[in-house]
Short mmCIF file of all heavy atoms in Angstrom, two decimals:
data_model
loop_
_atom_site.label_atom_id
_atom_site.label_comp_id
_atom_site.label_asym_id
_atom_site.label_seq_id
_atom_site.Cartn_x
_atom_site.Cartn_y
_atom_site.Cartn_z
N PHE B 386 -9.19 -9.45 15.43
CA PHE B 386 -9.52 -9.89 14.07
C PHE B 386 -9.41 -8.77 13.07
O PHE B 386 -9.30 -8.99 11.88
CB PHE B 386 -10.96 -10.44 13.96
CG PHE B 386 -11.03 -11.81 14.57
CD1 PHE B 386 -11.43 -11.99 15.84
CD2 PHE B 386 -10.59 -12.90 13.82
CE1 PHE B 386 -11.42 -13.25 16.38
CE2 PHE B 386 -10.59 -14.17 14.34
CZ PHE B 386 -11.04 -14.31 15.65
N GLY B 387 -9.48 -7.56 13.64
CA GLY B 387 -9.45 -6.40 12.77
C GLY B 387 -8.09 -6.07 12.19
O GLY B 387 -7.95 -5.35 11.23
N VAL B 388 -7.00 -6.49 12.84
CA VAL B 388 -5.73 -6.04 12.44
C VAL B 388 -5.34 -6.63 11.14
O VAL B 388 -5.97 -7.59 10.68
CB VAL B 388 -4.58 -6.42 13.48
CG1 VAL B 388 -4.70 -5.52 14.71
CG2 VAL B 388 -4.66 -7.90 13.82
N MET B 389 -4.52 -5.98 10.46
CA MET B 389 -4.20 -6.30 9.07
C MET B 389 -3.83 -7.77 8.87
O MET B 389 -4.13 -8.29 7.82
CB MET B 389 -3.03 -5.41 8.68
CG MET B 389 -3.12 -4.93 7.24
SD MET B 389 -4.72 -4.17 6.92
CE MET B 389 -4.80 -4.42 5.17
N ALA B 390 -3.17 -8.41 9.81
CA ALA B 390 -2.79 -9.78 9.61
C ALA B 390 -3.92 -10.67 9.33
O ALA B 390 -3.96 -11.52 8.44
CB ALA B 390 -2.03 -10.23 10.88
N ALA B 391 -5.00 -10.42 10.10
CA ALA B 391 -6.24 -11.23 9.88
C ALA B 391 -6.81 -11.01 8.50
O ALA B 391 -7.33 -11.89 7.80
CB ALA B 391 -7.24 -11.00 10.97
N LYS B 392 -6.78 -9.73 8.15
CA LYS B 392 -7.30 -9.37 6.80
C LYS B 392 -6.54 -9.97 5.71
O LYS B 392 -7.10 -10.47 4.74
CB LYS B 392 -7.34 -7.83 6.66
CG LYS B 392 -8.37 -7.14 7.51
CD LYS B 392 -8.23 -5.64 7.31
CE LYS B 392 -8.87 -4.87 8.35
NZ LYS B 392 -10.31 -5.01 8.53
N ASN B 393 -5.22 -9.89 5.88
CA ASN B 393 -4.39 -10.53 4.81
C ASN B 393 -4.72 -12.05 4.68
O ASN B 393 -4.82 -12.53 3.57
CB ASN B 393 -2.93 -10.45 5.24
CG ASN B 393 -2.26 -9.17 4.80
OD1 ASN B 393 -2.88 -8.48 3.93
ND2 ASN B 393 -1.22 -8.80 5.34
N THR B 394 -4.84 -12.70 5.85
CA THR B 394 -5.11 -14.06 5.82
C THR B 394 -6.47 -14.31 5.11
O THR B 394 -6.60 -15.17 4.23
CB THR B 394 -5.14 -14.58 7.22
OG1 THR B 394 -3.96 -14.09 7.95
CG2 THR B 394 -5.23 -16.08 7.25
N ALA B 395 -7.48 -13.48 5.52
CA ALA B 395 -8.77 -13.65 4.92
C ALA B 395 -8.75 -13.51 3.48
O ALA B 395 -9.30 -14.28 2.72
CB ALA B 395 -9.76 -12.78 5.65
N VAL B 396 -8.10 -12.40 2.99
CA VAL B 396 -8.22 -12.15 1.50
C VAL B 396 -7.43 -13.17 0.76
O VAL B 396 -7.81 -13.60 -0.29
CB VAL B 396 -7.74 -10.72 1.22
CG1 VAL B 396 -6.29 -10.52 1.25
CG2 VAL B 396 -8.25 -10.31 -0.14
N ASN B 397 -6.37 -13.65 1.29
CA ASN B 397 -5.58 -14.74 0.62
C ASN B 397 -6.38 -15.97 0.51
O ASN B 397 -6.40 -16.62 -0.54
CB ASN B 397 -4.26 -14.96 1.35
CG ASN B 397 -3.22 -13.96 0.90
OD1 ASN B 397 -2.93 -13.77 -0.30
ND2 ASN B 397 -2.66 -13.21 1.84
N LEU B 398 -7.07 -16.27 1.53
CA LEU B 398 -7.95 -17.54 1.44
C LEU B 398 -9.06 -17.28 0.55
O LEU B 398 -9.48 -18.25 -0.23
CB LEU B 398 -8.39 -17.86 2.89
CG LEU B 398 -7.40 -18.41 3.83
CD1 LEU B 398 -7.96 -18.75 5.19
CD2 LEU B 398 -6.64 -19.63 3.30
N MET B 399 -9.67 -16.06 0.41
CA MET B 399 -10.70 -15.87 -0.50
C MET B 399 -10.24 -15.93 -1.91
O MET B 399 -10.90 -16.49 -2.81
CB MET B 399 -11.31 -14.46 -0.25
CG MET B 399 -12.18 -14.49 1.02
SD MET B 399 -12.61 -12.78 1.45
CE MET B 399 -14.08 -12.47 0.47
N ILE B 400 -9.03 -15.45 -2.16
CA ILE B 400 -8.46 -15.53 -3.52
C ILE B 400 -8.24 -16.99 -3.93
O ILE B 400 -8.62 -17.38 -4.96
CB ILE B 400 -7.15 -14.79 -3.56
CG1 ILE B 400 -7.45 -13.23 -3.52
CG2 ILE B 400 -6.38 -15.07 -4.83
CD1 ILE B 400 -6.22 -12.40 -3.40
N LEU B 401 -7.73 -17.78 -2.92
CA LEU B 401 -7.50 -19.17 -3.23
C LEU B 401 -8.81 -19.87 -3.49
O LEU B 401 -8.81 -20.72 -4.52
CB LEU B 401 -6.81 -19.78 -1.96
CG LEU B 401 -5.80 -20.84 -2.15
CD1 LEU B 401 -4.75 -20.42 -3.11
CD2 LEU B 401 -5.06 -21.16 -0.84
N THR B 402 -9.86 -19.60 -2.73
CA THR B 402 -11.10 -20.20 -3.00
C THR B 402 -11.67 -19.92 -4.36
O THR B 402 -12.17 -20.73 -5.07
CB THR B 402 -12.09 -19.76 -1.94
OG1 THR B 402 -11.57 -19.88 -0.67
CG2 THR B 402 -13.37 -20.57 -1.97
N THR B 403 -11.57 -18.60 -4.69
CA THR B 403 -12.14 -18.21 -6.00
C THR B 403 -11.34 -18.89 -7.15
O THR B 403 -11.92 -19.35 -8.11
CB THR B 403 -12.02 -16.71 -6.19
OG1 THR B 403 -12.74 -16.09 -5.00
CG2 THR B 403 -12.71 -16.22 -7.39
N PHE B 404 -10.00 -18.94 -6.95
CA PHE B 404 -9.20 -19.64 -7.93
C PHE B 404 -9.68 -21.05 -8.08
O PHE B 404 -9.79 -21.59 -9.23
CB PHE B 404 -7.72 -19.52 -7.44
CG PHE B 404 -6.84 -20.39 -8.25
CD1 PHE B 404 -6.41 -19.96 -9.53
CD2 PHE B 404 -6.31 -21.64 -7.76
CE1 PHE B 404 -5.53 -20.79 -10.28
CE2 PHE B 404 -5.43 -22.33 -8.59
CZ PHE B 404 -5.06 -21.93 -9.79
N PHE B 405 -9.90 -21.76 -6.94
CA PHE B 405 -10.30 -23.12 -7.01
C PHE B 405 -11.66 -23.27 -7.68
O PHE B 405 -11.79 -24.16 -8.53
CB PHE B 405 -10.40 -23.64 -5.47
CG PHE B 405 -10.58 -25.09 -5.39
CD1 PHE B 405 -9.58 -25.94 -5.85
CD2 PHE B 405 -11.67 -25.64 -4.71
CE1 PHE B 405 -9.64 -27.28 -5.77
CE2 PHE B 405 -11.82 -26.95 -4.65
CZ PHE B 405 -10.82 -27.83 -5.10
N SER B 406 -12.57 -22.34 -7.50
CA SER B 406 -13.75 -22.35 -8.26
C SER B 406 -13.53 -22.34 -9.74
O SER B 406 -14.18 -23.09 -10.48
CB SER B 406 -14.69 -21.11 -7.87
OG SER B 406 -15.48 -21.34 -6.78
N PHE B 407 -12.71 -21.43 -10.18
CA PHE B 407 -12.33 -21.35 -11.56
C PHE B 407 -11.83 -22.60 -12.03
O PHE B 407 -12.14 -23.05 -13.25
CB PHE B 407 -11.36 -20.16 -11.84
CG PHE B 407 -11.97 -18.94 -12.24
CD1 PHE B 407 -11.86 -17.81 -11.52
CD2 PHE B 407 -12.62 -18.91 -13.48
CE1 PHE B 407 -12.42 -16.58 -12.02
CE2 PHE B 407 -13.17 -17.78 -13.96
CZ PHE B 407 -13.08 -16.59 -13.21
N MET B 408 -10.96 -23.24 -11.34
CA MET B 408 -10.33 -24.42 -11.84
C MET B 408 -11.36 -25.62 -11.95
O MET B 408 -11.29 -26.39 -12.85
CB MET B 408 -9.11 -24.84 -10.88
CG MET B 408 -8.04 -23.89 -11.00
SD MET B 408 -7.27 -23.89 -12.65
CE MET B 408 -7.40 -22.22 -13.10
N LEU B 409 -12.28 -25.67 -10.98
CA LEU B 409 -13.32 -26.65 -11.08
C LEU B 409 -14.18 -26.43 -12.29
O LEU B 409 -14.59 -27.30 -12.99
CB LEU B 409 -14.20 -26.58 -9.82
CG LEU B 409 -13.59 -27.11 -8.53
CD1 LEU B 409 -14.56 -27.01 -7.36
CD2 LEU B 409 -13.01 -28.47 -8.60
N TYR B 410 -14.42 -25.11 -12.48
CA TYR B 410 -15.28 -24.73 -13.62
C TYR B 410 -14.55 -25.21 -14.96
O TYR B 410 -15.20 -25.77 -15.82
CB TYR B 410 -15.42 -23.17 -13.68
CG TYR B 410 -16.29 -22.75 -14.76
CD1 TYR B 410 -17.60 -22.52 -14.56
CD2 TYR B 410 -15.69 -22.46 -16.01
CE1 TYR B 410 -18.37 -22.02 -15.67
CE2 TYR B 410 -16.47 -21.99 -17.09
CZ TYR B 410 -17.79 -21.81 -16.89
OH TYR B 410 -18.55 -21.31 -17.91
N ARG B 411 -13.33 -24.91 -14.98
CA ARG B 411 -12.52 -25.28 -16.18
C ARG B 411 -12.57 -26.75 -16.40
O ARG B 411 -12.57 -27.30 -17.56
CB ARG B 411 -11.03 -24.85 -15.89
CG ARG B 411 -10.16 -24.55 -17.00
CD ARG B 411 -8.86 -24.06 -16.48
NE ARG B 411 -7.77 -25.01 -16.63
CZ ARG B 411 -7.19 -25.25 -17.76
NH1 ARG B 411 -7.50 -24.50 -18.86
NH2 ARG B 411 -6.24 -26.17 -17.92
N ARG B 412 -12.55 -27.50 -15.32
CA ARG B 412 -12.51 -28.99 -15.48
C ARG B 412 -13.87 -29.57 -15.70
O ARG B 412 -14.04 -30.70 -16.05
CB ARG B 412 -11.88 -29.57 -14.24
CG ARG B 412 -11.45 -31.00 -14.36
CD ARG B 412 -10.74 -31.40 -13.12
NE ARG B 412 -9.38 -30.68 -13.05
CZ ARG B 412 -8.56 -30.88 -12.04
NH1 ARG B 412 -8.79 -31.83 -11.12
NH2 ARG B 412 -7.48 -30.29 -12.03
N GLY B 413 -14.87 -28.73 -15.51
CA GLY B 413 -16.27 -29.11 -15.47
C GLY B 413 -16.68 -30.36 -16.27
O GLY B 413 -17.15 -31.35 -15.78
N ASN B 414 -16.44 -30.25 -17.65
CA ASN B 414 -16.95 -31.29 -18.54
C ASN B 414 -15.79 -32.21 -18.94
O ASN B 414 -15.91 -32.88 -19.97
CB ASN B 414 -17.62 -30.66 -19.73
CG ASN B 414 -16.65 -29.78 -20.50
OD1 ASN B 414 -15.55 -29.41 -20.07
ND2 ASN B 414 -17.03 -29.47 -21.73
N ARG B 415 -14.69 -32.16 -18.25
CA ARG B 415 -13.59 -32.99 -18.80
C ARG B 415 -13.09 -34.01 -17.76
O ARG B 415 -13.13 -33.83 -16.62
CB ARG B 415 -12.40 -32.12 -19.10
CG ARG B 415 -12.76 -31.23 -20.34
CD ARG B 415 -11.58 -30.54 -20.92
NE ARG B 415 -11.35 -29.19 -20.21
CZ ARG B 415 -10.46 -28.38 -20.60
NH1 ARG B 415 -9.76 -28.59 -21.75
NH2 ARG B 415 -10.35 -27.21 -20.03
N ILE B 416 -12.70 -35.15 -18.21
CA ILE B 416 -12.09 -36.19 -17.42
C ILE B 416 -10.71 -36.44 -17.82
O ILE B 416 -10.48 -36.80 -19.02
CB ILE B 416 -12.93 -37.53 -17.47
CG1 ILE B 416 -14.39 -37.25 -17.14
CG2 ILE B 416 -12.28 -38.58 -16.58
CD1 ILE B 416 -15.20 -38.41 -17.23
N PRO B 417 -9.76 -36.12 -16.95
CA PRO B 417 -8.34 -36.35 -17.41
C PRO B 417 -8.05 -37.74 -17.84
O PRO B 417 -8.53 -38.69 -17.18
CB PRO B 417 -7.51 -35.88 -16.13
CG PRO B 417 -8.50 -35.24 -15.28
CD PRO B 417 -9.86 -35.69 -15.59
N MET B 418 -7.37 -37.88 -18.87
CA MET B 418 -7.01 -39.27 -19.41
C MET B 418 -5.56 -39.68 -19.24
O MET B 418 -5.23 -40.81 -19.51
CB MET B 418 -7.40 -39.27 -20.91
CG MET B 418 -8.93 -39.42 -21.10
SD MET B 418 -9.42 -41.05 -20.58
CE MET B 418 -10.90 -40.60 -19.62
N VAL B 419 -4.74 -38.71 -18.87
CA VAL B 419 -3.33 -39.08 -18.79
C VAL B 419 -3.10 -40.16 -17.71
O VAL B 419 -3.88 -40.19 -16.71
CB VAL B 419 -2.48 -37.79 -18.51
CG1 VAL B 419 -2.31 -37.02 -19.71
CG2 VAL B 419 -2.98 -37.08 -17.32
N SER B 420 -2.04 -40.95 -17.84
CA SER B 420 -1.80 -42.06 -16.94
C SER B 420 -1.61 -41.56 -15.49
O SER B 420 -1.95 -42.29 -14.56
CB SER B 420 -0.63 -42.90 -17.42
OG SER B 420 0.52 -41.97 -17.49
N TRP B 421 -1.04 -40.36 -15.35
CA TRP B 421 -0.73 -39.90 -14.03
C TRP B 421 -1.80 -39.02 -13.41
O TRP B 421 -1.57 -38.21 -12.53
CB TRP B 421 0.62 -39.07 -14.01
CG TRP B 421 0.71 -38.04 -15.14
CD1 TRP B 421 1.11 -38.35 -16.43
CD2 TRP B 421 0.34 -36.75 -15.08
NE1 TRP B 421 1.04 -37.29 -17.17
CE2 TRP B 421 0.57 -36.22 -16.38
CE3 TRP B 421 -0.05 -35.86 -14.12
CZ2 TRP B 421 0.36 -34.86 -16.70
CZ3 TRP B 421 -0.32 -34.56 -14.43
CH2 TRP B 421 -0.10 -34.07 -15.73
N ALA B 422 -2.99 -39.13 -13.92
CA ALA B 422 -4.13 -38.29 -13.59
C ALA B 422 -4.41 -38.19 -12.05
O ALA B 422 -4.46 -37.11 -11.41
CB ALA B 422 -5.39 -38.67 -14.29
N VAL B 423 -4.33 -39.42 -11.41
CA VAL B 423 -4.65 -39.42 -9.96
C VAL B 423 -3.55 -38.67 -9.16
O VAL B 423 -3.82 -37.88 -8.39
CB VAL B 423 -4.82 -40.88 -9.50
CG1 VAL B 423 -5.03 -40.93 -8.01
CG2 VAL B 423 -5.95 -41.59 -10.26
N THR B 424 -2.30 -39.13 -9.48
CA THR B 424 -1.16 -38.49 -8.82
C THR B 424 -1.25 -36.97 -9.02
O THR B 424 -1.10 -36.17 -8.08
CB THR B 424 0.17 -38.92 -9.46
OG1 THR B 424 0.03 -40.22 -9.94
CG2 THR B 424 1.28 -38.88 -8.44
N GLY B 425 -1.49 -36.55 -10.29
CA GLY B 425 -1.62 -35.13 -10.54
C GLY B 425 -2.63 -34.43 -9.68
O GLY B 425 -2.34 -33.39 -9.11
N LYS B 426 -3.79 -35.05 -9.61
CA LYS B 426 -4.81 -34.35 -8.80
C LYS B 426 -4.49 -34.27 -7.32
O LYS B 426 -4.74 -33.32 -6.68
CB LYS B 426 -6.16 -35.17 -9.00
CG LYS B 426 -6.86 -34.77 -10.29
CD LYS B 426 -8.29 -35.12 -10.28
CE LYS B 426 -8.50 -36.41 -11.14
NZ LYS B 426 -9.97 -36.81 -11.26
N ILE B 427 -3.82 -35.37 -6.84
CA ILE B 427 -3.40 -35.35 -5.42
C ILE B 427 -2.39 -34.27 -5.22
O ILE B 427 -2.50 -33.50 -4.19
CB ILE B 427 -2.77 -36.79 -5.04
CG1 ILE B 427 -3.89 -37.75 -4.97
CG2 ILE B 427 -2.12 -36.62 -3.68
CD1 ILE B 427 -3.46 -39.17 -4.76
N VAL B 428 -1.47 -34.14 -6.12
CA VAL B 428 -0.45 -33.01 -5.99
C VAL B 428 -1.16 -31.66 -5.98
O VAL B 428 -0.90 -30.82 -5.13
CB VAL B 428 0.61 -33.08 -7.10
CG1 VAL B 428 1.56 -31.90 -6.95
CG2 VAL B 428 1.36 -34.45 -7.05
N GLN B 429 -2.08 -31.50 -6.87
CA GLN B 429 -2.86 -30.24 -6.90
C GLN B 429 -3.51 -29.92 -5.62
O GLN B 429 -3.44 -28.82 -5.05
CB GLN B 429 -3.85 -30.25 -8.06
CG GLN B 429 -3.23 -30.01 -9.43
CD GLN B 429 -4.33 -30.09 -10.48
OE1 GLN B 429 -5.28 -30.83 -10.47
NE2 GLN B 429 -4.14 -29.18 -11.46
N ALA B 430 -4.16 -30.99 -5.10
CA ALA B 430 -4.90 -30.74 -3.79
C ALA B 430 -3.88 -30.39 -2.78
O ALA B 430 -4.09 -29.44 -1.90
CB ALA B 430 -5.68 -32.06 -3.43
N LEU B 431 -2.74 -31.07 -2.73
CA LEU B 431 -1.71 -30.78 -1.74
C LEU B 431 -1.18 -29.36 -1.86
O LEU B 431 -1.02 -28.69 -0.85
CB LEU B 431 -0.50 -31.73 -1.90
CG LEU B 431 -0.76 -33.22 -1.27
CD1 LEU B 431 0.45 -34.09 -1.48
CD2 LEU B 431 -1.07 -33.02 0.26
N VAL B 432 -1.01 -28.97 -3.09
CA VAL B 432 -0.48 -27.60 -3.30
C VAL B 432 -1.49 -26.56 -2.71
O VAL B 432 -1.02 -25.63 -2.02
CB VAL B 432 -0.28 -27.36 -4.81
CG1 VAL B 432 -0.14 -25.89 -5.16
CG2 VAL B 432 0.95 -28.11 -5.29
N ILE B 433 -2.74 -26.79 -2.98
CA ILE B 433 -3.76 -25.75 -2.46
C ILE B 433 -3.76 -25.84 -0.92
O ILE B 433 -3.73 -24.83 -0.24
CB ILE B 433 -5.13 -26.13 -2.96
CG1 ILE B 433 -5.18 -25.96 -4.47
CG2 ILE B 433 -6.21 -25.33 -2.29
CD1 ILE B 433 -5.43 -24.49 -4.94
N ALA B 434 -3.70 -27.09 -0.44
CA ALA B 434 -3.72 -27.26 1.05
C ALA B 434 -2.51 -26.65 1.65
O ALA B 434 -2.59 -25.94 2.69
CB ALA B 434 -3.80 -28.71 1.44
N THR B 435 -1.36 -26.82 1.08
CA THR B 435 -0.17 -26.20 1.57
C THR B 435 -0.22 -24.71 1.65
O THR B 435 0.12 -24.06 2.63
CB THR B 435 1.10 -26.67 0.75
OG1 THR B 435 0.98 -28.03 0.46
CG2 THR B 435 2.41 -26.32 1.44
N ALA B 436 -0.70 -24.18 0.46
CA ALA B 436 -0.73 -22.74 0.41
C ALA B 436 -1.68 -22.19 1.52
O ALA B 436 -1.37 -21.26 2.29
CB ALA B 436 -1.27 -22.28 -0.94
N ALA B 437 -2.84 -22.86 1.71
CA ALA B 437 -3.79 -22.41 2.74
C ALA B 437 -3.08 -22.58 4.09
O ALA B 437 -3.26 -21.61 4.96
CB ALA B 437 -5.04 -23.34 2.68
#
Side-chain angles (χ1 to χ4, degrees):
Chain B
F386 282 98
V388 289
M389 217 53 206
K392 288 182 200 292
N393 274 342
T394 310
V396 75
N397 277 305
L398 289 179
M399 286 168 85
I400 290 174
L401 213 52
T402 311
T403 307
F404 172 75
F405 192 60
S406 271
F407 258 119
M408 290 298 123
L409 289 182
Y410 181 94
R411 206 173 106 81
R412 196 172 293 182
N414 61 344
R415 292 191 273 188
I416 303 174
M418 280 294 133
V419 286
S420 55
W421 47 276
V423 177
T424 333
K426 281 199 256 184
I427 292 176
V428 175
Q429 282 181 321
L431 281 178
V432 164
I433 293 279
T435 315

